[in-house]
PDB file of all heavy atoms in Angstrom:
ATOM      1  N   ALA J   1     136.080 115.342 132.503  1.00  0.00           N
ATOM      2  CA  ALA J   1     137.203 114.887 133.317  1.00  0.00           C
ATOM      3  C   ALA J   1     136.946 115.080 134.799  1.00  0.00           C
ATOM      4  O   ALA J   1     137.329 114.297 135.602  1.00  0.00           O
ATOM      5  CB  ALA J   1     138.520 115.545 132.886  1.00  0.00           C
ATOM      6  N   LEU J   2     136.268 116.154 135.130  1.00  0.00           N
ATOM      7  CA  LEU J   2     136.036 116.512 136.536  1.00  0.00           C
ATOM      8  C   LEU J   2     134.730 116.027 137.022  1.00  0.00           C
ATOM      9  O   LEU J   2     134.417 116.220 138.238  1.00  0.00           O
ATOM     10  CB  LEU J   2     136.195 118.047 136.764  1.00  0.00           C
ATOM     11  CG  LEU J   2     137.581 118.630 136.437  1.00  0.00           C
ATOM     12  CD1 LEU J   2     137.535 120.127 136.620  1.00  0.00           C
ATOM     13  CD2 LEU J   2     138.629 117.998 137.349  1.00  0.00           C
ATOM     14  N   GLY J   3     133.865 115.518 136.148  1.00  0.00           N
ATOM     15  CA  GLY J   3     132.536 115.086 136.585  1.00  0.00           C
ATOM     16  C   GLY J   3     131.597 116.250 136.898  1.00  0.00           C
ATOM     17  O   GLY J   3     130.718 116.124 137.835  1.00  0.00           O
ATOM     18  N   LEU J   4     131.759 117.348 136.188  1.00  0.00           N
ATOM     19  CA  LEU J   4     130.947 118.569 136.463  1.00  0.00           C
ATOM     20  C   LEU J   4     129.980 118.841 135.331  1.00  0.00           C
ATOM     21  O   LEU J   4     130.113 118.195 134.232  1.00  0.00           O
ATOM     22  CB  LEU J   4     131.908 119.749 136.525  1.00  0.00           C
ATOM     23  CG  LEU J   4     133.043 119.741 137.577  1.00  0.00           C
ATOM     24  CD1 LEU J   4     133.873 121.002 137.473  1.00  0.00           C
ATOM     25  CD2 LEU J   4     132.488 119.512 138.926  1.00  0.00           C
ATOM     26  N   ALA J   5     128.983 119.657 135.546  1.00  0.00           N
ATOM     27  CA  ALA J   5     128.083 120.075 134.501  1.00  0.00           C
ATOM     28  C   ALA J   5     128.801 121.037 133.585  1.00  0.00           C
ATOM     29  O   ALA J   5     129.939 121.503 133.819  1.00  0.00           O
ATOM     30  CB  ALA J   5     126.841 120.775 135.071  1.00  0.00           C
ATOM     31  N   TYR J   6     128.141 121.274 132.407  1.00  0.00           N
ATOM     32  CA  TYR J   6     128.729 122.165 131.387  1.00  0.00           C
ATOM     33  C   TYR J   6     127.735 123.100 130.799  1.00  0.00           C
ATOM     34  O   TYR J   6     126.609 122.681 130.505  1.00  0.00           O
ATOM     35  CB  TYR J   6     129.235 121.225 130.265  1.00  0.00           C
ATOM     36  CG  TYR J   6     129.570 121.909 128.896  1.00  0.00           C
ATOM     37  CD1 TYR J   6     130.533 122.843 128.800  1.00  0.00           C
ATOM     38  CD2 TYR J   6     128.723 121.679 127.798  1.00  0.00           C
ATOM     39  CE1 TYR J   6     130.781 123.496 127.638  1.00  0.00           C
ATOM     40  CE2 TYR J   6     128.927 122.323 126.603  1.00  0.00           C
ATOM     41  CZ  TYR J   6     130.000 123.288 126.487  1.00  0.00           C
ATOM     42  OH  TYR J   6     130.226 123.897 125.320  1.00  0.00           O
ATOM     43  N   LEU J   7     128.128 124.357 130.779  1.00  0.00           N
ATOM     44  CA  LEU J   7     127.229 125.384 130.287  1.00  0.00           C
ATOM     45  C   LEU J   7     127.868 126.134 129.136  1.00  0.00           C
ATOM     46  O   LEU J   7     128.862 126.834 129.312  1.00  0.00           O
ATOM     47  CB  LEU J   7     126.777 126.358 131.312  1.00  0.00           C
ATOM     48  CG  LEU J   7     125.832 127.473 130.906  1.00  0.00           C
ATOM     49  CD1 LEU J   7     124.457 126.913 130.490  1.00  0.00           C
ATOM     50  CD2 LEU J   7     125.642 128.517 132.059  1.00  0.00           C
ATOM     51  N   ASP J   8     127.250 126.053 127.969  1.00  0.00           N
ATOM     52  CA  ASP J   8     127.727 126.746 126.741  1.00  0.00           C
ATOM     53  C   ASP J   8     126.917 128.071 126.594  1.00  0.00           C
ATOM     54  O   ASP J   8     125.848 128.032 126.062  1.00  0.00           O
ATOM     55  CB  ASP J   8     127.554 125.850 125.526  1.00  0.00           C
ATOM     56  CG  ASP J   8     127.984 126.488 124.247  1.00  0.00           C
ATOM     57  OD1 ASP J   8     128.370 127.756 124.185  1.00  0.00           O
ATOM     58  OD2 ASP J   8     127.954 125.847 123.159  1.00  0.00           O
ATOM     59  N   THR J   9     127.428 129.181 127.100  1.00  0.00           N
ATOM     60  CA  THR J   9     126.674 130.403 127.097  1.00  0.00           C
ATOM     61  C   THR J   9     126.599 130.978 125.662  1.00  0.00           C
ATOM     62  O   THR J   9     125.624 131.625 125.336  1.00  0.00           O
ATOM     63  CB  THR J   9     127.284 131.480 128.001  1.00  0.00           C
ATOM     64  OG1 THR J   9     128.546 131.895 127.523  1.00  0.00           O
ATOM     65  CG2 THR J   9     127.463 130.935 129.402  1.00  0.00           C
ATOM     66  N   GLY J  10     127.530 130.645 124.809  1.00  0.00           N
ATOM     67  CA  GLY J  10     127.447 131.065 123.431  1.00  0.00           C
ATOM     68  C   GLY J  10     126.231 130.492 122.752  1.00  0.00           C
ATOM     69  O   GLY J  10     125.582 131.145 121.981  1.00  0.00           O
ATOM     70  N   ALA J  11     125.911 129.293 123.094  1.00  0.00           N
ATOM     71  CA  ALA J  11     124.743 128.641 122.569  1.00  0.00           C
ATOM     72  C   ALA J  11     123.418 129.286 122.908  1.00  0.00           C
ATOM     73  O   ALA J  11     122.451 129.327 122.182  1.00  0.00           O
ATOM     74  CB  ALA J  11     124.720 127.111 122.943  1.00  0.00           C
ATOM     75  N   MET J  12     123.496 129.956 124.073  1.00  0.00           N
ATOM     76  CA  MET J  12     122.315 130.676 124.603  1.00  0.00           C
ATOM     77  C   MET J  12     122.048 131.875 123.676  1.00  0.00           C
ATOM     78  O   MET J  12     120.910 132.237 123.305  1.00  0.00           O
ATOM     79  CB  MET J  12     122.473 131.154 125.992  1.00  0.00           C
ATOM     80  CG  MET J  12     122.606 129.949 126.945  1.00  0.00           C
ATOM     81  SD  MET J  12     122.925 130.356 128.661  1.00  0.00           S
ATOM     82  CE  MET J  12     121.330 131.104 129.147  1.00  0.00           C
ATOM     83  N   TYR J  13     123.130 132.577 123.245  1.00  0.00           N
ATOM     84  CA  TYR J  13     123.001 133.733 122.326  1.00  0.00           C
ATOM     85  C   TYR J  13     122.496 133.235 120.976  1.00  0.00           C
ATOM     86  O   TYR J  13     121.765 133.876 120.243  1.00  0.00           O
ATOM     87  CB  TYR J  13     124.305 134.504 122.231  1.00  0.00           C
ATOM     88  CG  TYR J  13     124.571 135.282 123.497  1.00  0.00           C
ATOM     89  CD1 TYR J  13     125.449 134.854 124.446  1.00  0.00           C
ATOM     90  CD2 TYR J  13     123.940 136.538 123.661  1.00  0.00           C
ATOM     91  CE1 TYR J  13     125.676 135.631 125.683  1.00  0.00           C
ATOM     92  CE2 TYR J  13     124.153 137.326 124.851  1.00  0.00           C
ATOM     93  CZ  TYR J  13     125.000 136.804 125.754  1.00  0.00           C
ATOM     94  OH  TYR J  13     125.214 137.540 126.946  1.00  0.00           O
ATOM     95  N   ARG J  14     123.072 132.092 120.524  1.00  0.00           N
ATOM     96  CA  ARG J  14     122.656 131.545 119.221  1.00  0.00           C
ATOM     97  C   ARG J  14     121.185 131.148 119.288  1.00  0.00           C
ATOM     98  O   ARG J  14     120.415 131.363 118.339  1.00  0.00           O
ATOM     99  CB  ARG J  14     123.533 130.368 118.936  1.00  0.00           C
ATOM    100  CG  ARG J  14     124.940 130.684 118.444  1.00  0.00           C
ATOM    101  CD  ARG J  14     125.797 129.533 118.302  1.00  0.00           C
ATOM    102  NE  ARG J  14     127.104 129.896 117.719  1.00  0.00           N
ATOM    103  CZ  ARG J  14     127.320 130.012 116.385  1.00  0.00           C
ATOM    104  NH1 ARG J  14     126.314 129.751 115.523  1.00  0.00           N
ATOM    105  NH2 ARG J  14     128.570 130.356 116.009  1.00  0.00           N
ATOM    106  N   ALA J  15     120.758 130.610 120.399  1.00  0.00           N
ATOM    107  CA  ALA J  15     119.366 130.153 120.524  1.00  0.00           C
ATOM    108  C   ALA J  15     118.458 131.372 120.504  1.00  0.00           C
ATOM    109  O   ALA J  15     117.347 131.381 119.975  1.00  0.00           O
ATOM    110  CB  ALA J  15     119.157 129.408 121.876  1.00  0.00           C
ATOM    111  N   ALA J  16     118.862 132.494 121.180  1.00  0.00           N
ATOM    112  CA  ALA J  16     118.104 133.659 121.219  1.00  0.00           C
ATOM    113  C   ALA J  16     117.951 134.230 119.775  1.00  0.00           C
ATOM    114  O   ALA J  16     116.912 134.760 119.387  1.00  0.00           O
ATOM    115  CB  ALA J  16     118.727 134.688 122.125  1.00  0.00           C
ATOM    116  N   THR J  17     119.065 134.162 119.049  1.00  0.00           N
ATOM    117  CA  THR J  17     119.055 134.639 117.681  1.00  0.00           C
ATOM    118  C   THR J  17     118.103 133.801 116.803  1.00  0.00           C
ATOM    119  O   THR J  17     117.291 134.318 116.062  1.00  0.00           O
ATOM    120  CB  THR J  17     120.499 134.579 117.039  1.00  0.00           C
ATOM    121  OG1 THR J  17     121.348 135.350 117.898  1.00  0.00           O
ATOM    122  CG2 THR J  17     120.481 135.154 115.602  1.00  0.00           C
ATOM    123  N   TRP J  18     118.189 132.458 116.970  1.00  0.00           N
ATOM    124  CA  TRP J  18     117.291 131.589 116.262  1.00  0.00           C
ATOM    125  C   TRP J  18     115.866 131.830 116.551  1.00  0.00           C
ATOM    126  O   TRP J  18     114.955 131.917 115.659  1.00  0.00           O
ATOM    127  CB  TRP J  18     117.625 130.104 116.646  1.00  0.00           C
ATOM    128  CG  TRP J  18     116.689 129.131 115.926  1.00  0.00           C
ATOM    129  CD1 TRP J  18     116.919 128.529 114.751  1.00  0.00           C
ATOM    130  CD2 TRP J  18     115.455 128.638 116.432  1.00  0.00           C
ATOM    131  NE1 TRP J  18     115.815 127.661 114.447  1.00  0.00           N
ATOM    132  CE2 TRP J  18     114.971 127.729 115.459  1.00  0.00           C
ATOM    133  CE3 TRP J  18     114.712 128.855 117.609  1.00  0.00           C
ATOM    134  CZ2 TRP J  18     113.744 127.005 115.644  1.00  0.00           C
ATOM    135  CZ3 TRP J  18     113.510 128.186 117.730  1.00  0.00           C
ATOM    136  CH2 TRP J  18     113.030 127.328 116.786  1.00  0.00           C
ATOM    137  N   TRP J  19     115.550 132.169 117.844  1.00  0.00           N
ATOM    138  CA  TRP J  19     114.190 132.441 118.243  1.00  0.00           C
ATOM    139  C   TRP J  19     113.644 133.728 117.644  1.00  0.00           C
ATOM    140  O   TRP J  19     112.560 133.778 117.112  1.00  0.00           O
ATOM    141  CB  TRP J  19     114.090 132.505 119.753  1.00  0.00           C
ATOM    142  CG  TRP J  19     112.783 132.871 120.293  1.00  0.00           C
ATOM    143  CD1 TRP J  19     112.418 133.997 120.948  1.00  0.00           C
ATOM    144  CD2 TRP J  19     111.598 132.075 120.355  1.00  0.00           C
ATOM    145  NE1 TRP J  19     111.088 133.938 121.371  1.00  0.00           N
ATOM    146  CE2 TRP J  19     110.558 132.735 120.993  1.00  0.00           C
ATOM    147  CE3 TRP J  19     111.270 130.733 119.820  1.00  0.00           C
ATOM    148  CZ2 TRP J  19     109.280 132.264 121.185  1.00  0.00           C
ATOM    149  CZ3 TRP J  19     110.016 130.268 120.078  1.00  0.00           C
ATOM    150  CH2 TRP J  19     109.036 131.008 120.687  1.00  0.00           C
ATOM    151  N   CYS J  20     114.457 134.754 117.693  1.00  0.00           N
ATOM    152  CA  CYS J  20     114.044 136.070 117.058  1.00  0.00           C
ATOM    153  C   CYS J  20     113.794 135.899 115.559  1.00  0.00           C
ATOM    154  O   CYS J  20     112.805 136.441 115.056  1.00  0.00           O
ATOM    155  CB  CYS J  20     115.032 137.099 117.349  1.00  0.00           C
ATOM    156  SG  CYS J  20     115.139 137.595 119.065  1.00  0.00           S
ATOM    157  N   LEU J  21     114.605 135.208 114.868  1.00  0.00           N
ATOM    158  CA  LEU J  21     114.450 135.035 113.449  1.00  0.00           C
ATOM    159  C   LEU J  21     113.214 134.137 113.241  1.00  0.00           C
ATOM    160  O   LEU J  21     112.450 134.425 112.266  1.00  0.00           O
ATOM    161  CB  LEU J  21     115.663 134.400 112.822  1.00  0.00           C
ATOM    162  CG  LEU J  21     116.949 135.226 112.827  1.00  0.00           C
ATOM    163  CD1 LEU J  21     118.143 134.466 112.233  1.00  0.00           C
ATOM    164  CD2 LEU J  21     116.771 136.480 111.982  1.00  0.00           C
ATOM    165  N   HIS J  22     113.007 133.157 114.085  1.00  0.00           N
ATOM    166  CA  HIS J  22     111.824 132.201 113.934  1.00  0.00           C
ATOM    167  C   HIS J  22     110.591 133.041 114.165  1.00  0.00           C
ATOM    168  O   HIS J  22     109.537 132.725 113.574  1.00  0.00           O
ATOM    169  CB  HIS J  22     112.018 131.143 114.972  1.00  0.00           C
ATOM    170  CG  HIS J  22     110.967 130.052 114.837  1.00  0.00           C
ATOM    171  ND1 HIS J  22     111.011 129.163 113.790  1.00  0.00           N
ATOM    172  CD2 HIS J  22     109.964 129.654 115.650  1.00  0.00           C
ATOM    173  CE1 HIS J  22     110.014 128.280 113.982  1.00  0.00           C
ATOM    174  NE2 HIS J  22     109.372 128.576 115.084  1.00  0.00           N
ATOM    175  N   GLN J  23     110.654 134.130 115.033  1.00  0.00           N
ATOM    176  CA  GLN J  23     109.491 134.962 115.289  1.00  0.00           C
ATOM    177  C   GLN J  23     109.334 136.123 114.322  1.00  0.00           C
ATOM    178  O   GLN J  23     108.482 136.978 114.507  1.00  0.00           O
ATOM    179  CB  GLN J  23     109.586 135.478 116.713  1.00  0.00           C
ATOM    180  CG  GLN J  23     109.627 134.418 117.776  1.00  0.00           C
ATOM    181  CD  GLN J  23     108.365 133.569 117.864  1.00  0.00           C
ATOM    182  OE1 GLN J  23     108.352 132.408 117.528  1.00  0.00           O
ATOM    183  NE2 GLN J  23     107.279 134.191 118.327  1.00  0.00           N
ATOM    184  N   ASP J  24     110.282 136.127 113.295  1.00  0.00           N
ATOM    185  CA  ASP J  24     110.296 137.189 112.327  1.00  0.00           C
ATOM    186  C   ASP J  24     110.529 138.582 112.888  1.00  0.00           C
ATOM    187  O   ASP J  24     109.911 139.578 112.465  1.00  0.00           O
ATOM    188  CB  ASP J  24     108.974 137.216 111.522  1.00  0.00           C
ATOM    189  CG  ASP J  24     108.813 135.943 110.676  1.00  0.00           C
ATOM    190  OD1 ASP J  24     109.846 135.484 110.064  1.00  0.00           O
ATOM    191  OD2 ASP J  24     107.704 135.444 110.547  1.00  0.00           O
ATOM    192  N   VAL J  25     111.331 138.610 113.926  1.00  0.00           N
ATOM    193  CA  VAL J  25     111.651 139.867 114.569  1.00  0.00           C
ATOM    194  C   VAL J  25     112.888 140.468 113.984  1.00  0.00           C
ATOM    195  O   VAL J  25     113.991 139.776 113.909  1.00  0.00           O
ATOM    196  CB  VAL J  25     111.895 139.721 116.124  1.00  0.00           C
ATOM    197  CG1 VAL J  25     112.445 140.964 116.784  1.00  0.00           C
ATOM    198  CG2 VAL J  25     110.635 139.207 116.803  1.00  0.00           C
ATOM    199  N   PRO J  26     112.919 141.690 113.439  1.00  0.00           N
ATOM    200  CA  PRO J  26     114.158 142.251 112.842  1.00  0.00           C
ATOM    201  C   PRO J  26     115.185 142.420 113.942  1.00  0.00           C
ATOM    202  O   PRO J  26     114.886 143.049 115.018  1.00  0.00           O
ATOM    203  CB  PRO J  26     113.640 143.643 112.362  1.00  0.00           C
ATOM    204  CG  PRO J  26     112.144 143.485 112.206  1.00  0.00           C
ATOM    205  CD  PRO J  26     111.757 142.559 113.302  1.00  0.00           C
ATOM    206  N   LEU J  27     116.347 141.977 113.763  1.00  0.00           N
ATOM    207  CA  LEU J  27     117.402 142.003 114.757  1.00  0.00           C
ATOM    208  C   LEU J  27     117.856 143.421 115.036  1.00  0.00           C
ATOM    209  O   LEU J  27     118.499 143.707 115.998  1.00  0.00           O
ATOM    210  CB  LEU J  27     118.570 141.142 114.382  1.00  0.00           C
ATOM    211  CG  LEU J  27     118.225 139.631 114.181  1.00  0.00           C
ATOM    212  CD1 LEU J  27     119.473 138.855 113.954  1.00  0.00           C
ATOM    213  CD2 LEU J  27     117.438 139.092 115.356  1.00  0.00           C
ATOM    214  N   THR J  28     117.459 144.361 114.075  1.00  0.00           N
ATOM    215  CA  THR J  28     117.843 145.761 114.333  1.00  0.00           C
ATOM    216  C   THR J  28     116.863 146.463 115.257  1.00  0.00           C
ATOM    217  O   THR J  28     117.152 147.556 115.780  1.00  0.00           O
ATOM    218  CB  THR J  28     117.800 146.542 112.974  1.00  0.00           C
ATOM    219  OG1 THR J  28     116.526 146.221 112.321  1.00  0.00           O
ATOM    220  CG2 THR J  28     118.917 146.021 112.070  1.00  0.00           C
ATOM    221  N   ASP J  29     115.784 145.755 115.591  1.00  0.00           N
ATOM    222  CA  ASP J  29     114.787 146.323 116.548  1.00  0.00           C
ATOM    223  C   ASP J  29     115.204 145.912 117.906  1.00  0.00           C
ATOM    224  O   ASP J  29     114.749 144.849 118.464  1.00  0.00           O
ATOM    225  CB  ASP J  29     113.320 145.819 116.257  1.00  0.00           C
ATOM    226  CG  ASP J  29     112.260 146.474 117.054  1.00  0.00           C
ATOM    227  OD1 ASP J  29     112.606 146.985 118.067  1.00  0.00           O
ATOM    228  OD2 ASP J  29     111.110 146.427 116.678  1.00  0.00           O
ATOM    229  N   VAL J  30     116.132 146.702 118.551  1.00  0.00           N
ATOM    230  CA  VAL J  30     116.719 146.257 119.786  1.00  0.00           C
ATOM    231  C   VAL J  30     115.739 146.069 120.933  1.00  0.00           C
ATOM    232  O   VAL J  30     115.893 145.127 121.762  1.00  0.00           O
ATOM    233  CB  VAL J  30     117.792 147.259 120.274  1.00  0.00           C
ATOM    234  CG1 VAL J  30     118.964 147.279 119.189  1.00  0.00           C
ATOM    235  CG2 VAL J  30     117.270 148.662 120.418  1.00  0.00           C
ATOM    236  N   ASP J  31     114.707 146.840 120.985  1.00  0.00           N
ATOM    237  CA  ASP J  31     113.697 146.745 122.023  1.00  0.00           C
ATOM    238  C   ASP J  31     112.905 145.476 121.905  1.00  0.00           C
ATOM    239  O   ASP J  31     112.607 144.771 122.876  1.00  0.00           O
ATOM    240  CB  ASP J  31     112.784 147.918 122.134  1.00  0.00           C
ATOM    241  CG  ASP J  31     113.494 149.180 122.469  1.00  0.00           C
ATOM    242  OD1 ASP J  31     114.568 149.119 123.235  1.00  0.00           O
ATOM    243  OD2 ASP J  31     113.069 150.323 122.117  1.00  0.00           O
ATOM    244  N   GLU J  32     112.436 145.147 120.710  1.00  0.00           N
ATOM    245  CA  GLU J  32     111.667 143.937 120.437  1.00  0.00           C
ATOM    246  C   GLU J  32     112.506 142.668 120.656  1.00  0.00           C
ATOM    247  O   GLU J  32     112.026 141.667 121.163  1.00  0.00           O
ATOM    248  CB  GLU J  32     111.048 143.980 119.108  1.00  0.00           C
ATOM    249  CG  GLU J  32     110.109 142.771 118.790  1.00  0.00           C
ATOM    250  CD  GLU J  32     108.990 142.637 119.788  1.00  0.00           C
ATOM    251  OE1 GLU J  32     108.570 143.618 120.340  1.00  0.00           O
ATOM    252  OE2 GLU J  32     108.542 141.472 119.994  1.00  0.00           O
ATOM    253  N   VAL J  33     113.800 142.746 120.164  1.00  0.00           N
ATOM    254  CA  VAL J  33     114.683 141.618 120.398  1.00  0.00           C
ATOM    255  C   VAL J  33     114.794 141.363 121.931  1.00  0.00           C
ATOM    256  O   VAL J  33     114.790 140.254 122.393  1.00  0.00           O
ATOM    257  CB  VAL J  33     116.106 141.879 119.774  1.00  0.00           C
ATOM    258  CG1 VAL J  33     117.058 140.946 120.280  1.00  0.00           C
ATOM    259  CG2 VAL J  33     115.920 141.788 118.282  1.00  0.00           C
ATOM    260  N   ALA J  34     115.007 142.444 122.691  1.00  0.00           N
ATOM    261  CA  ALA J  34     115.194 142.256 124.110  1.00  0.00           C
ATOM    262  C   ALA J  34     113.903 141.690 124.780  1.00  0.00           C
ATOM    263  O   ALA J  34     114.003 140.848 125.667  1.00  0.00           O
ATOM    264  CB  ALA J  34     115.460 143.678 124.746  1.00  0.00           C
ATOM    265  N   ALA J  35     112.718 142.123 124.285  1.00  0.00           N
ATOM    266  CA  ALA J  35     111.461 141.628 124.825  1.00  0.00           C
ATOM    267  C   ALA J  35     111.330 140.155 124.503  1.00  0.00           C
ATOM    268  O   ALA J  35     110.903 139.313 125.361  1.00  0.00           O
ATOM    269  CB  ALA J  35     110.330 142.425 124.235  1.00  0.00           C
ATOM    270  N   GLN J  36     111.712 139.704 123.300  1.00  0.00           N
ATOM    271  CA  GLN J  36     111.635 138.290 122.904  1.00  0.00           C
ATOM    272  C   GLN J  36     112.538 137.479 123.803  1.00  0.00           C
ATOM    273  O   GLN J  36     112.182 136.401 124.163  1.00  0.00           O
ATOM    274  CB  GLN J  36     111.931 138.139 121.424  1.00  0.00           C
ATOM    275  CG  GLN J  36     110.964 138.686 120.471  1.00  0.00           C
ATOM    276  CD  GLN J  36     109.617 137.826 120.450  1.00  0.00           C
ATOM    277  OE1 GLN J  36     109.686 136.703 120.773  1.00  0.00           O
ATOM    278  NE2 GLN J  36     108.552 138.461 120.107  1.00  0.00           N
ATOM    279  N   VAL J  37     113.748 137.923 124.040  1.00  0.00           N
ATOM    280  CA  VAL J  37     114.712 137.263 124.800  1.00  0.00           C
ATOM    281  C   VAL J  37     114.293 137.119 126.274  1.00  0.00           C
ATOM    282  O   VAL J  37     114.507 136.118 126.924  1.00  0.00           O
ATOM    283  CB  VAL J  37     116.101 137.789 124.626  1.00  0.00           C
ATOM    284  CG1 VAL J  37     117.137 137.126 125.594  1.00  0.00           C
ATOM    285  CG2 VAL J  37     116.607 137.689 123.186  1.00  0.00           C
TER     286      VAL J  37
END
């Protein structure tokens, strides 16, 4: 309606999750997840 861009930040967290799973990184490994992101 306003002719502005749109940013879905939730999708960024979902994409990070997809990437970690795609890389076979255990999501419980907080340091490796952080490094992947």
